Amino acid sequence: MIVYVMRKRFLVSLIVMSFLLVLSACGDDGEAKDNKKKTEPDKPEVGLNKITLDKIVAKKNDNEAFYLLLFDANKEDVKKTKFLDAYDKALKKQDITAYYLNMNDKDKKTLGSLEKEFKQQSASSHNPFEDGGLTVVYDGKLDSPFDYYAKAWVLNITLERLSSEKGTFLQDDMYNDIKKGIQYNLDYVKEHDIELTY
């Protein structure tokens, strides 16, 4: 009987110790993963990634090269027209990473100084700060592939018009325009041998 009780205690102790050992191992792995996440830099995902004005300026000052979608629209119009959904879908299909900034609620004076700071590389007929659109930021500048290819895309007005017509950017004609704009950017980056930094 005493041997039976001792075996039972030994078995219970063994099970408890094994359980604690497993728990402590899991705890270490989880903690290591959390620490790894904290030390890794924020990497944008394929598709659209929200960015702040401060981060755009920091990236510009660090001579980073990236795609930036600028637009000026109220949040309701953006939501109704599925604007961000359409761009995100088109970018993901091409395996492209881009940032976006809605300038609608930003201080106009700050935006004006940012526009001057970027000093577009050409006397552009397409100004992303005024017209909206996907652009390439590199060498501390913002350049419009639309202007380079002598194309026009008055995105901000299109967004407002589409919202009033109860349309979306996922409609074939609008979605095709988005894909064309993305292609202009891809071609521009290739022709200028720009190495994107993500």
Side-chain angles (χ1 to χ4, degrees), residues 70-89:
L70 292 172
F71 61 97
D72 185 350
N74 69 56
K75 290 177 183 176
E76 191 60 33
D77 286 349
V78 172
K79 189 175 179 181
K80 282 193 315 193
T81 60
K82 301 194 182 304
F83 173 72
L84 294 177
D85 297 329
Y87 263 98
D88 191 51
K89 178 182 173 183

Side-chain angles (χ1 to χ4, degrees), residues 69-125:
L69 174 64
L70 292 172
F71 61 97
D72 185 350
N74 69 56
K75 290 177 183 176
E76 191 60 33
D77 286 349
V78 172
K79 189 175 179 181
K80 282 193 315 193
T81 60
K82 301 194 182 304
F83 173 72
L84 294 177
D85 297 329
Y87 263 98
D88 191 51
K89 178 182 173 183
L91 289 164
K92 283 179 177 172
K93 282 197 173 186
Q94 292 272 13
D95 198 31
I96 298 171
T97 300
Y99 294 102
Y100 75 91
L101 178 72
N102 186 351
M103 300 177 288
N104 189 254
D105 56 351
K106 305 297 181 270
D107 178 60
K108 299 305 175 196
K109 187 177 177 183
T110 306
L111 285 171
S113 63
L114 184 66
E115 183 178 352
K116 286 178 190 168
E117 197 176 329
F118 271 103
K119 295 177 193 157
Q120 285 186 254
Q121 294 195 18
S122 58
S124 180
S125 59

Side-chain angles (χ1 to χ4, degrees), residues 4-185:
Y4 176 75
V5 170
M6 287 179 65
R7 279 187 187 169
K8 191 174 181 182
R9 282 186 183 167
F10 175 76
L11 200 60
V12 169
S13 296
L14 188 62
I15 290 170
V16 168
M17 286 177 57
S18 298
F19 181 72
L20 290 173
L21 188 61
V22 168
L23 277 180
S24 68
C26 288
D28 288 344
D29 285 344
E31 193 173 60
K33 285 178 187 172
D34 285 344
N35 287 340
K36 187 176 178 185
K37 279 182 186 175
K38 288 176 188 170
T39 57
E40 282 181 356
D42 291 339
K43 288 195 89 180
E45 297 179 2
V46 171
L48 275 181
N49 297 268
K50 192 172 186 176
I51 193 168
T52 64
L53 275 173
D54 290 340
K55 285 189 179 177
I56 291 172
V57 171
K59 286 179 171 299
K60 171 198 166 296
N61 293 339
D62 288 341
N63 282 320
E64 292 188 38
F66 55 96
Y67 293 116
L68 175 63
L69 174 64
L70 292 172
F71 61 97
D72 185 350
N74 69 56
K75 290 177 183 176
E76 191 60 33
D77 286 349
V78 172
K79 189 175 179 181
K80 282 193 315 193
T81 60
K82 301 194 182 304
F83 173 72
L84 294 177
D85 297 329
Y87 263 98
D88 191 51
K89 178 182 173 183
L91 289 164
K92 283 179 177 172
K93 282 197 173 186
Q94 292 272 13
D95 198 31
I96 298 171
T97 300
Y99 294 102
Y100 75 91
L101 178 72
N102 186 351
M103 300 177 288
N104 189 254
D105 56 351
K106 305 297 181 270
D107 178 60
K108 299 305 175 196
K109 187 177 177 183
T110 306
L111 285 171
S113 63
L114 184 66
E115 183 178 352
K116 286 178 190 168
E117 197 176 329
F118 271 103
K119 295 177 193 157
Q120 285 186 254
Q121 294 195 18
S122 58
S124 180
S125 59
H126 178 262
N127 183 341
F129 284 96
E130 293 174 15
D131 304 324
L134 190 63
T135 63
V136 182
V137 177
Y138 70 102
D139 287 340
K141 298 179 177 97
L142 180 147
D143 216 1
S144 170
F146 292 96
D147 184 58
Y148 180 77
Y149 293 110
K151 304 290 181 184
W153 178 233
V154 188
L155 182 59
N156 295 335
I157 293 172
T158 304
L159 210 155
E160 190 178 335
R161 178 186 53 79
L162 200 60
S163 176
S164 67
E165 294 171 358
K166 297 184 176 28
T168 77
F169 280 91
L170 290 170
Q171 295 166 208
D172 287 343
D173 57 339
M174 297 310 302
Y175 188 66
N176 286 335
D177 285 344
I178 287 174
K179 290 193 295 186
K180 281 180 201 168
I182 290 171
Q183 191 60 54
Y184 294 145
N185 279 268

